[in-house]
Amino acid sequence: MVEVTVSPPASLVDRPVQLHVRGLAPAQLVTLRSLLLDEQGEAFQARAFYRANQAGEVDPSQQPALGGSYSGLWPMGLFWFLQPDTPFRRLLKRDVAGSPFLVHLEVYDGLCLVTKPQDQPLASCKAERWYVAPGVQRVPIQEGRVRGALFLPP
């Protein structure tokens, strides 16, 4: 049974996470895909092709991507190389304190350049990427023409 895990499952956006895929056949070629929907429902995704090691595992921090949105050794590539489905869209987070970005991580058999709705992943999981740590207080600042926010630690 194929399993994909992200550790920790909830983290701040500037913190690295560990992605690991288990249960593959040795030397199996797979596509790892990340998908994020922003606050307006716009899709951003990245994909990378990997070959499983002799234990049937893929660890992006130890194995280079063979192609896709990036190639080479990029442990956080599925997060850093997210691209919009609609050209010229920018990934913005307006509600930084209230909710995280949910990144869906999926594993597909073989090379998947385009994922159709009927395509079923071998395994999937979700990662929460927060902009503000628990307990941080956001204080709006307004002085003359200056607008901003002060984030106070707990």
Side-chain angles (χ1 to χ4, degrees):
M1 173 148 183
V2 178
E3 176 187 31
V4 59
T5 58
V6 62
S7 178
S11 63
L12 294 174
V13 294
D14 63 344
R15 305 285 182 203
V17 295
Q18 295 292 318
L19 183 64
H20 205 91
V21 182
R22 293 177 185 85
L24 300 168
Q28 181 177 353
L29 194 59
V30 294
T31 299
L32 300 185
R33 175 182 173 229
S34 59
L35 172 67
L36 178 150
L37 296 178
D38 72 2
E39 293 166 329
Q40 284 76 41
E42 290 289 331
F44 292 77
Q45 58 182 313
R47 65 186 69 236
F49 313 128
Y50 287 91
R51 186 170 301 282
N53 63 18
Q54 291 305 312
E57 299 178 349
V58 171
D59 181 353
S61 68
Q62 302 293 321
Q63 297 165 257
L66 304 174
S69 301
Y70 59 94
S71 61
L73 191 61
W74 292 93
M76 294 291 294
L78 290 172
F79 296 90
W80 292 342
F81 289 94
L82 287 165
Q83 293 294 315
D85 284 355
T86 305
F88 307 112
R89 297 294 297 201
R90 290 182 26 187
L91 182 60
L92 297 174
K93 182 74 170 142
R94 299 210 185 275
D95 180 19
V96 295
S99 64
F101 271 142
L102 284 178
V103 182
H104 301 265
L105 301 161
E106 302 169 332
V107 181
Y108 291 91
D109 187 28
L111 299 178
C112 293
L113 298 174
V114 177
T115 310
K116 301 177 192 88
Q118 66 268 22
D119 292 340
Q120 292 297 313
L122 298 173
S124 64
C125 71
K126 293 180 186 174
E128 291 182 5
R129 303 294 280 169
W130 290 87
Y131 278 81
V132 177
V136 171
Q137 181 183 6
R138 182 182 186 273
V139 179
I141 303 295
Q142 190 172 11
E143 184 68 36
R145 292 175 39 196
V146 175
R147 304 286 184 270
L150 173 64
F151 292 89
L152 297 171

PDB file of all heavy atoms in Angstrom, residues 115-150:
ATOM      1  N   THR A 115      -3.117  16.250 -14.996  1.00  0.00           N
ATOM      2  CA  THR A 115      -3.952  15.411 -14.142  1.00  0.00           C
ATOM      3  C   THR A 115      -5.412  15.705 -14.449  1.00  0.00           C
ATOM      4  O   THR A 115      -5.858  16.847 -14.317  1.00  0.00           O
ATOM      5  CB  THR A 115      -3.663  15.690 -12.654  1.00  0.00           C
ATOM      6  OG1 THR A 115      -2.261  15.624 -12.454  1.00  0.00           O
ATOM      7  CG2 THR A 115      -4.342  14.675 -11.768  1.00  0.00           C
ATOM      8  N   LYS A 116      -6.128  14.672 -14.871  1.00  0.00           N
ATOM      9  CA  LYS A 116      -7.545  14.820 -15.176  1.00  0.00           C
ATOM     10  C   LYS A 116      -8.361  14.483 -13.921  1.00  0.00           C
ATOM     11  O   LYS A 116      -7.880  13.765 -13.042  1.00  0.00           O
ATOM     12  CB  LYS A 116      -7.925  13.875 -16.313  1.00  0.00           C
ATOM     13  CG  LYS A 116      -7.144  14.112 -17.592  1.00  0.00           C
ATOM     14  CD  LYS A 116      -7.524  13.095 -18.652  1.00  0.00           C
ATOM     15  CE  LYS A 116      -6.562  13.123 -19.801  1.00  0.00           C
ATOM     16  NZ  LYS A 116      -5.415  12.247 -19.603  1.00  0.00           N
ATOM     17  N   PRO A 117      -9.587  14.996 -13.828  1.00  0.00           N
ATOM     18  CA  PRO A 117     -10.409  14.713 -12.639  1.00  0.00           C
ATOM     19  C   PRO A 117     -10.622  13.224 -12.379  1.00  0.00           C
ATOM     20  O   PRO A 117     -10.754  12.808 -11.235  1.00  0.00           O
ATOM     21  CB  PRO A 117     -11.741  15.408 -12.946  1.00  0.00           C
ATOM     22  CG  PRO A 117     -11.399  16.466 -13.938  1.00  0.00           C
ATOM     23  CD  PRO A 117     -10.240  15.931 -14.734  1.00  0.00           C
ATOM     24  N   GLN A 118     -10.641  12.397 -13.421  1.00  0.00           N
ATOM     25  CA  GLN A 118     -10.866  10.960 -13.225  1.00  0.00           C
ATOM     26  C   GLN A 118      -9.603  10.213 -12.796  1.00  0.00           C
ATOM     27  O   GLN A 118      -9.671   9.063 -12.377  1.00  0.00           O
ATOM     28  CB  GLN A 118     -11.471  10.313 -14.477  1.00  0.00           C
ATOM     29  CG  GLN A 118     -10.549  10.300 -15.682  1.00  0.00           C
ATOM     30  CD  GLN A 118     -10.716  11.505 -16.580  1.00  0.00           C
ATOM     31  OE1 GLN A 118     -11.201  12.548 -16.161  1.00  0.00           O
ATOM     32  NE2 GLN A 118     -10.303  11.382 -17.832  1.00  0.00           N
ATOM     33  N   ASP A 119      -8.432  10.860 -12.868  1.00  0.00           N
ATOM     34  CA  ASP A 119      -7.188  10.224 -12.433  1.00  0.00           C
ATOM     35  C   ASP A 119      -7.169  10.099 -10.917  1.00  0.00           C
ATOM     36  O   ASP A 119      -7.402  11.071 -10.206  1.00  0.00           O
ATOM     37  CB  ASP A 119      -5.970  11.032 -12.893  1.00  0.00           C
ATOM     38  CG  ASP A 119      -5.791  11.014 -14.398  1.00  0.00           C
ATOM     39  OD1 ASP A 119      -6.344  10.107 -15.047  1.00  0.00           O
ATOM     40  OD2 ASP A 119      -5.110  11.919 -14.915  1.00  0.00           O
ATOM     41  N   GLN A 120      -6.902   8.915 -10.433  1.00  0.00           N
ATOM     42  CA  GLN A 120      -6.861   8.656  -9.001  1.00  0.00           C
ATOM     43  C   GLN A 120      -5.412   8.543  -8.537  1.00  0.00           C
ATOM     44  O   GLN A 120      -4.639   7.774  -9.105  1.00  0.00           O
ATOM     45  CB  GLN A 120      -7.611   7.351  -8.654  1.00  0.00           C
ATOM     46  CG  GLN A 120      -9.106   7.437  -8.871  1.00  0.00           C
ATOM     47  CD  GLN A 120      -9.746   8.465  -7.959  1.00  0.00           C
ATOM     48  OE1 GLN A 120      -9.470   8.504  -6.764  1.00  0.00           O
ATOM     49  NE2 GLN A 120     -10.591   9.311  -8.526  1.00  0.00           N
ATOM     50  N   PRO A 121      -5.036   9.295  -7.510  1.00  0.00           N
ATOM     51  CA  PRO A 121      -3.666   9.174  -7.003  1.00  0.00           C
ATOM     52  C   PRO A 121      -3.462   7.852  -6.271  1.00  0.00           C
ATOM     53  O   PRO A 121      -4.420   7.264  -5.745  1.00  0.00           O
ATOM     54  CB  PRO A 121      -3.532  10.362  -6.051  1.00  0.00           C
ATOM     55  CG  PRO A 121      -4.918  10.670  -5.619  1.00  0.00           C
ATOM     56  CD  PRO A 121      -5.807  10.294  -6.775  1.00  0.00           C
ATOM     57  N   LEU A 122      -2.213   7.404  -6.219  1.00  0.00           N
ATOM     58  CA  LEU A 122      -1.884   6.219  -5.433  1.00  0.00           C
ATOM     59  C   LEU A 122      -2.031   6.509  -3.948  1.00  0.00           C
ATOM     60  O   LEU A 122      -2.410   5.639  -3.165  1.00  0.00           O
ATOM     61  CB  LEU A 122      -0.447   5.777  -5.723  1.00  0.00           C
ATOM     62  CG  LEU A 122      -0.124   5.357  -7.156  1.00  0.00           C
ATOM     63  CD1 LEU A 122       1.383   5.120  -7.309  1.00  0.00           C
ATOM     64  CD2 LEU A 122      -0.909   4.122  -7.529  1.00  0.00           C
ATOM     65  N   ALA A 123      -1.719   7.745  -3.552  1.00  0.00           N
ATOM     66  CA  ALA A 123      -1.823   8.169  -2.146  1.00  0.00           C
ATOM     67  C   ALA A 123      -1.872   9.689  -2.118  1.00  0.00           C
ATOM     68  O   ALA A 123      -1.457  10.356  -3.063  1.00  0.00           O
ATOM     69  CB  ALA A 123      -0.634   7.664  -1.341  1.00  0.00           C
ATOM     70  N   SER A 124      -2.388  10.223  -1.015  1.00  0.00           N
ATOM     71  CA  SER A 124      -2.439  11.678  -0.868  1.00  0.00           C
ATOM     72  C   SER A 124      -2.436  12.048   0.612  1.00  0.00           C
ATOM     73  O   SER A 124      -2.741  11.215   1.478  1.00  0.00           O
ATOM     74  CB  SER A 124      -3.679  12.256  -1.553  1.00  0.00           C
ATOM     75  OG  SER A 124      -4.850  11.791  -0.922  1.00  0.00           O
ATOM     76  N   CYS A 125      -2.086  13.285   0.899  1.00  0.00           N
ATOM     77  CA  CYS A 125      -2.159  13.837   2.253  1.00  0.00           C
ATOM     78  C   CYS A 125      -2.256  15.351   2.135  1.00  0.00           C
ATOM     79  O   CYS A 125      -2.175  15.902   1.033  1.00  0.00           O
ATOM     80  CB  CYS A 125      -0.957  13.411   3.100  1.00  0.00           C
ATOM     81  SG  CYS A 125       0.608  14.160   2.643  1.00  0.00           S
ATOM     82  N   LYS A 126      -2.451  16.017   3.267  1.00  0.00           N
ATOM     83  CA  LYS A 126      -2.557  17.476   3.283  1.00  0.00           C
ATOM     84  C   LYS A 126      -1.538  18.055   4.252  1.00  0.00           C
ATOM     85  O   LYS A 126      -1.232  17.456   5.278  1.00  0.00           O
ATOM     86  CB  LYS A 126      -3.956  17.915   3.726  1.00  0.00           C
ATOM     87  CG  LYS A 126      -5.044  17.574   2.751  1.00  0.00           C
ATOM     88  CD  LYS A 126      -6.381  18.030   3.265  1.00  0.00           C
ATOM     89  CE  LYS A 126      -7.480  17.544   2.338  1.00  0.00           C
ATOM     90  NZ  LYS A 126      -8.812  17.841   2.864  1.00  0.00           N
ATOM     91  N   ALA A 127      -1.050  19.235   3.907  1.00  0.00           N
ATOM     92  CA  ALA A 127      -0.145  19.979   4.781  1.00  0.00           C
ATOM     93  C   ALA A 127      -0.743  21.347   5.034  1.00  0.00           C
ATOM     94  O   ALA A 127      -1.197  22.008   4.097  1.00  0.00           O
ATOM     95  CB  ALA A 127       1.232  20.112   4.133  1.00  0.00           C
ATOM     96  N   GLU A 128      -0.773  21.757   6.291  1.00  0.00           N
ATOM     97  CA  GLU A 128      -1.222  23.097   6.649  1.00  0.00           C
ATOM     98  C   GLU A 128      -0.004  23.996   6.724  1.00  0.00           C
ATOM     99  O   GLU A 128       0.956  23.685   7.416  1.00  0.00           O
ATOM    100  CB  GLU A 128      -1.922  23.104   8.015  1.00  0.00           C
ATOM    101  CG  GLU A 128      -3.241  22.416   8.040  1.00  0.00           C
ATOM    102  CD  GLU A 128      -3.906  22.506   9.408  1.00  0.00           C
ATOM    103  OE1 GLU A 128      -3.370  23.192  10.314  1.00  0.00           O
ATOM    104  OE2 GLU A 128      -4.958  21.880   9.573  1.00  0.00           O
ATOM    105  N   ARG A 129      -0.062  25.133   6.027  1.00  0.00           N
ATOM    106  CA  ARG A 129       1.036  26.099   6.030  1.00  0.00           C
ATOM    107  C   ARG A 129       0.500  27.411   6.597  1.00  0.00           C
ATOM    108  O   ARG A 129      -0.252  28.123   5.943  1.00  0.00           O
ATOM    109  CB  ARG A 129       1.591  26.278   4.625  1.00  0.00           C
ATOM    110  CG  ARG A 129       2.075  24.992   3.964  1.00  0.00           C
ATOM    111  CD  ARG A 129       3.266  24.403   4.647  1.00  0.00           C
ATOM    112  NE  ARG A 129       4.460  25.126   4.215  1.00  0.00           N
ATOM    113  CZ  ARG A 129       5.637  24.999   4.762  1.00  0.00           C
ATOM    114  NH1 ARG A 129       5.809  24.187   5.776  1.00  0.00           N
ATOM    115  NH2 ARG A 129       6.665  25.681   4.313  1.00  0.00           N
ATOM    116  N   TRP A 130       0.882  27.709   7.834  1.00  0.00           N
ATOM    117  CA  TRP A 130       0.413  28.884   8.558  1.00  0.00           C
ATOM    118  C   TRP A 130       1.365  30.054   8.371  1.00  0.00           C
ATOM    119  O   TRP A 130       2.575  29.874   8.261  1.00  0.00           O
ATOM    120  CB  TRP A 130       0.291  28.575  10.045  1.00  0.00           C
ATOM    121  CG  TRP A 130      -0.831  27.644  10.373  1.00  0.00           C
ATOM    122  CD1 TRP A 130      -0.789  26.284  10.381  1.00  0.00           C
ATOM    123  CD2 TRP A 130      -2.166  28.000  10.724  1.00  0.00           C
ATOM    124  NE1 TRP A 130      -2.023  25.778  10.716  1.00  0.00           N
ATOM    125  CE2 TRP A 130      -2.883  26.809  10.944  1.00  0.00           C
ATOM    126  CE3 TRP A 130      -2.820  29.228  10.883  1.00  0.00           C
ATOM    127  CZ2 TRP A 130      -4.222  26.801  11.310  1.00  0.00           C
ATOM    128  CZ3 TRP A 130      -4.158  29.217  11.252  1.00  0.00           C
ATOM    129  CH2 TRP A 130      -4.847  28.022  11.456  1.00  0.00           C
ATOM    130  N   TYR A 131       0.821  31.264   8.401  1.00  0.00           N
ATOM    131  CA  TYR A 131       1.622  32.478   8.336  1.00  0.00           C
ATOM    132  C   TYR A 131       1.886  33.061   9.720  1.00  0.00           C
ATOM    133  O   TYR A 131       2.820  33.842   9.881  1.00  0.00           O
ATOM    134  CB  TYR A 131       0.933  33.534   7.460  1.00  0.00           C
ATOM    135  CG  TYR A 131       1.185  33.303   5.995  1.00  0.00           C
ATOM    136  CD1 TYR A 131       0.451  32.362   5.287  1.00  0.00           C
ATOM    137  CD2 TYR A 131       2.168  33.995   5.323  1.00  0.00           C
ATOM    138  CE1 TYR A 131       0.688  32.133   3.947  1.00  0.00           C
ATOM    139  CE2 TYR A 131       2.424  33.775   3.987  1.00  0.00           C
ATOM    140  CZ  TYR A 131       1.673  32.835   3.314  1.00  0.00           C
ATOM    141  OH  TYR A 131       1.927  32.602   1.983  1.00  0.00           O
ATOM    142  N   VAL A 132       1.063  32.723  10.687  1.00  0.00           N
ATOM    143  CA  VAL A 132       1.197  33.258  12.037  1.00  0.00           C
ATOM    144  C   VAL A 132       1.158  32.100  13.023  1.00  0.00           C
ATOM    145  O   VAL A 132       0.291  31.230  12.942  1.00  0.00           O
ATOM    146  CB  VAL A 132       0.063  34.265  12.341  1.00  0.00           C
ATOM    147  CG1 VAL A 132       0.149  34.772  13.761  1.00  0.00           C
ATOM    148  CG2 VAL A 132       0.113  35.433  11.365  1.00  0.00           C
ATOM    149  N   ALA A 133       2.092  32.089  13.965  1.00  0.00           N
ATOM    150  CA  ALA A 133       2.155  31.029  14.979  1.00  0.00           C
ATOM    151  C   ALA A 133       0.985  31.159  15.956  1.00  0.00           C
ATOM    152  O   ALA A 133       0.426  32.251  16.132  1.00  0.00           O
ATOM    153  CB  ALA A 133       3.478  31.098  15.729  1.00  0.00           C
ATOM    154  N   PRO A 134       0.619  30.065  16.612  1.00  0.00           N
ATOM    155  CA  PRO A 134      -0.457  30.125  17.598  1.00  0.00           C
ATOM    156  C   PRO A 134      -0.136  31.123  18.713  1.00  0.00           C
ATOM    157  O   PRO A 134       0.994  31.201  19.184  1.00  0.00           O
ATOM    158  CB  PRO A 134      -0.524  28.702  18.155  1.00  0.00           C
ATOM    159  CG  PRO A 134       0.122  27.849  17.127  1.00  0.00           C
ATOM    160  CD  PRO A 134       1.141  28.712  16.441  1.00  0.00           C
ATOM    161  N   GLY A 135      -1.130  31.894  19.098  1.00  0.00           N
ATOM    162  CA  GLY A 135      -0.973  32.839  20.191  1.00  0.00           C
ATOM    163  C   GLY A 135      -0.460  34.208  19.796  1.00  0.00           C
ATOM    164  O   GLY A 135      -0.428  35.122  20.617  1.00  0.00           O
ATOM    165  N   VAL A 136      -0.065  34.384  18.533  1.00  0.00           N
ATOM    166  CA  VAL A 136       0.420  35.686  18.078  1.00  0.00           C
ATOM    167  C   VAL A 136      -0.772  36.623  17.916  1.00  0.00           C
ATOM    168  O   VAL A 136      -1.801  36.255  17.357  1.00  0.00           O
ATOM    169  CB  VAL A 136       1.204  35.564  16.750  1.00  0.00           C
ATOM    170  CG1 VAL A 136       1.510  36.928  16.160  1.00  0.00           C
ATOM    171  CG2 VAL A 136       2.479  34.781  16.974  1.00  0.00           C
ATOM    172  N   GLN A 137      -0.615  37.830  18.416  1.00  0.00           N
ATOM    173  CA  GLN A 137      -1.686  38.825  18.359  1.00  0.00           C
ATOM    174  C   GLN A 137      -1.398  39.806  17.234  1.00  0.00           C
ATOM    175  O   GLN A 137      -0.278  40.313  17.104  1.00  0.00           O
ATOM    176  CB  GLN A 137      -1.778  39.557  19.691  1.00  0.00           C
ATOM    177  CG  GLN A 137      -2.864  40.599  19.747  1.00  0.00           C
ATOM    178  CD  GLN A 137      -2.858  41.350  21.070  1.00  0.00           C
ATOM    179  OE1 GLN A 137      -1.973  41.165  21.901  1.00  0.00           O
ATOM    180  NE2 GLN A 137      -3.839  42.211  21.256  1.00  0.00           N
ATOM    181  N   ARG A 138      -2.406  40.102  16.413  1.00  0.00           N
ATOM    182  CA  ARG A 138      -2.272  41.055  15.310  1.00  0.00           C
ATOM    183  C   ARG A 138      -2.946  42.359  15.725  1.00  0.00           C
ATOM    184  O   ARG A 138      -4.130  42.380  16.038  1.00  0.00           O
ATOM    185  CB  ARG A 138      -2.927  40.510  14.049  1.00  0.00           C
ATOM    186  CG  ARG A 138      -2.799  41.422  12.852  1.00  0.00           C
ATOM    187  CD  ARG A 138      -3.519  40.826  11.639  1.00  0.00           C
ATOM    188  NE  ARG A 138      -3.298  41.594  10.456  1.00  0.00           N
ATOM    189  CZ  ARG A 138      -4.038  42.641  10.091  1.00  0.00           C
ATOM    190  NH1 ARG A 138      -5.059  43.029  10.830  1.00  0.00           N
ATOM    191  NH2 ARG A 138      -3.759  43.299   8.982  1.00  0.00           N
ATOM    192  N   VAL A 139      -2.166  43.450  15.706  1.00  0.00           N
ATOM    193  CA  VAL A 139      -2.687  44.765  16.089  1.00  0.00           C
ATOM    194  C   VAL A 139      -2.611  45.671  14.861  1.00  0.00           C
ATOM    195  O   VAL A 139      -1.511  45.953  14.360  1.00  0.00           O
ATOM    196  CB  VAL A 139      -1.850  45.377  17.239  1.00  0.00           C
ATOM    197  CG1 VAL A 139      -2.384  46.750  17.617  1.00  0.00           C
ATOM    198  CG2 VAL A 139      -1.817  44.445  18.434  1.00  0.00           C
ATOM    199  N   PRO A 140      -3.773  46.141  14.351  1.00  0.00           N
ATOM    200  CA  PRO A 140      -3.746  47.057  13.202  1.00  0.00           C
ATOM    201  C   PRO A 140      -3.117  48.391  13.588  1.00  0.00           C
ATOM    202  O   PRO A 140      -3.336  48.898  14.686  1.00  0.00           O
ATOM    203  CB  PRO A 140      -5.217  47.242  12.825  1.00  0.00           C
ATOM    204  CG  PRO A 140      -5.974  46.220  13.604  1.00  0.00           C
ATOM    205  CD  PRO A 140      -5.128  45.792  14.755  1.00  0.00           C
ATOM    206  N   ILE A 141      -2.324  48.948  12.675  1.00  0.00           N
ATOM    207  CA  ILE A 141      -1.656  50.234  12.899  1.00  0.00           C
ATOM    208  C   ILE A 141      -2.193  51.226  11.872  1.00  0.00           C
ATOM    209  O   ILE A 141      -2.253  50.919  10.679  1.00  0.00           O
ATOM    210  CB  ILE A 141      -0.124  50.103  12.734  1.00  0.00           C
ATOM    211  CG1 ILE A 141       0.440  49.048  13.672  1.00  0.00           C
ATOM    212  CG2 ILE A 141       0.563  51.445  12.903  1.00  0.00           C
ATOM    213  CD1 ILE A 141       0.296  49.375  15.133  1.00  0.00           C
ATOM    214  N   GLN A 142      -2.576  52.417  12.359  1.00  0.00           N
ATOM    215  CA  GLN A 142      -3.058  53.469  11.475  1.00  0.00           C
ATOM    216  C   GLN A 142      -2.615  54.801  12.070  1.00  0.00           C
ATOM    217  O   GLN A 142      -3.111  55.230  13.105  1.00  0.00           O
ATOM    218  CB  GLN A 142      -4.584  53.394  11.368  1.00  0.00           C
ATOM    219  CG  GLN A 142      -5.164  54.256  10.312  1.00  0.00           C
ATOM    220  CD  GLN A 142      -6.655  53.986  10.133  1.00  0.00           C
ATOM    221  OE1 GLN A 142      -7.287  53.295  10.923  1.00  0.00           O
ATOM    222  NE2 GLN A 142      -7.203  54.528   9.082  1.00  0.00           N
ATOM    223  N   GLU A 143      -1.653  55.420  11.412  1.00  0.00           N
ATOM    224  CA  GLU A 143      -1.117  56.700  11.878  1.00  0.00           C
ATOM    225  C   GLU A 143      -0.928  57.589  10.656  1.00  0.00           C
ATOM    226  O   GLU A 143      -0.017  57.362   9.848  1.00  0.00           O
ATOM    227  CB  GLU A 143       0.202  56.490  12.618  1.00  0.00           C
ATOM    228  CG  GLU A 143       0.789  57.740  13.216  1.00  0.00           C
ATOM    229  CD  GLU A 143      -0.046  58.291  14.364  1.00  0.00           C
ATOM    230  OE1 GLU A 143      -0.608  57.491  15.132  1.00  0.00           O
ATOM    231  OE2 GLU A 143      -0.137  59.518  14.478  1.00  0.00           O
ATOM    232  N   GLY A 144      -1.789  58.587  10.502  1.00  0.00           N
ATOM    233  CA  GLY A 144      -1.726  59.429   9.313  1.00  0.00           C
ATOM    234  C   GLY A 144      -1.986  58.595   8.073  1.00  0.00           C
ATOM    235  O   GLY A 144      -3.000  57.914   7.977  1.00  0.00           O
ATOM    236  N   ARG A 145      -1.033  58.634   7.126  1.00  0.00           N
ATOM    237  CA  ARG A 145      -1.179  57.849   5.899  1.00  0.00           C
ATOM    238  C   ARG A 145      -0.543  56.464   6.012  1.00  0.00           C
ATOM    239  O   ARG A 145      -0.581  55.686   5.055  1.00  0.00           O
ATOM    240  CB  ARG A 145      -0.554  58.615   4.740  1.00  0.00           C
ATOM    241  CG  ARG A 145      -1.338  59.873   4.413  1.00  0.00           C
ATOM    242  CD  ARG A 145      -0.713  60.741   3.352  1.00  0.00           C
ATOM    243  NE  ARG A 145      -0.104  59.989   2.272  1.00  0.00           N
ATOM    244  CZ  ARG A 145       0.739  60.507   1.408  1.00  0.00           C
ATOM    245  NH1 ARG A 145       1.095  61.778   1.504  1.00  0.00           N
ATOM    246  NH2 ARG A 145       1.257  59.780   0.451  1.00  0.00           N
ATOM    247  N   VAL A 146       0.027  56.175   7.153  1.00  0.00           N
ATOM    248  CA  VAL A 146       0.695  54.877   7.341  1.00  0.00           C
ATOM    249  C   VAL A 146      -0.326  53.836   7.771  1.00  0.00           C
ATOM    250  O   VAL A 146      -1.108  54.046   8.702  1.00  0.00           O
ATOM    251  CB  VAL A 146       1.819  54.992   8.390  1.00  0.00           C
ATOM    252  CG1 VAL A 146       2.418  53.629   8.677  1.00  0.00           C
ATOM    253  CG2 VAL A 146       2.888  55.968   7.925  1.00  0.00           C
ATOM    254  N   ARG A 147      -0.333  52.695   7.103  1.00  0.00           N
ATOM    255  CA  ARG A 147      -1.202  51.571   7.444  1.00  0.00           C
ATOM    256  C   ARG A 147      -0.330  50.333   7.581  1.00  0.00           C
ATOM    257  O   ARG A 147       0.613  50.145   6.837  1.00  0.00           O
ATOM    258  CB  ARG A 147      -2.246  51.307   6.348  1.00  0.00           C
ATOM    259  CG  ARG A 147      -3.120  52.482   5.992  1.00  0.00           C
ATOM    260  CD  ARG A 147      -4.164  52.739   7.083  1.00  0.00           C
ATOM    261  NE  ARG A 147      -5.072  53.809   6.709  1.00  0.00           N
ATOM    262  CZ  ARG A 147      -4.892  55.089   6.976  1.00  0.00           C
ATOM    263  NH1 ARG A 147      -3.809  55.474   7.593  1.00  0.00           N
ATOM    264  NH2 ARG A 147      -5.766  55.997   6.623  1.00  0.00           N
ATOM    265  N   GLY A 148      -0.659  49.496   8.538  1.00  0.00           N
ATOM    266  CA  GLY A 148       0.117  48.281   8.720  1.00  0.00           C
ATOM    267  C   GLY A 148      -0.448  47.433   9.823  1.00  0.00           C
ATOM    268  O   GLY A 148      -1.579  47.628  10.278  1.00  0.00           O
ATOM    269  N   ALA A 149       0.340  46.479  10.251  1.00  0.00           N
ATOM    270  CA  ALA A 149      -0.061  45.574  11.331  1.00  0.00           C
ATOM    271  C   ALA A 149       1.178  45.237  12.151  1.00  0.00           C
ATOM    272  O   ALA A 149       2.265  45.040  11.603  1.00  0.00           O
ATOM    273  CB  ALA A 149      -0.691  44.311  10.768  1.00  0.00           C
ATOM    274  N   LEU A 150       0.967  45.175  13.444  1.00  0.00           N
ATOM    275  CA  LEU A 150       2.013  44.773  14.380  1.00  0.00           C
ATOM    276  C   LEU A 150       1.652  43.390  14.886  1.00  0.00           C
ATOM    277  O   LEU A 150       0.547  43.153  15.354  1.00  0.00           O
ATOM    278  CB  LEU A 150       2.080  45.771  15.539  1.00  0.00           C
ATOM    279  CG  LEU A 150       3.016  45.403  16.702  1.00  0.00           C
ATOM    280  CD1 LEU A 150       4.463  45.363  16.218  1.00  0.00           C
ATOM    281  CD2 LEU A 150       2.838  46.390  17.837  1.00  0.00           C
TER     282      LEU A 150
END
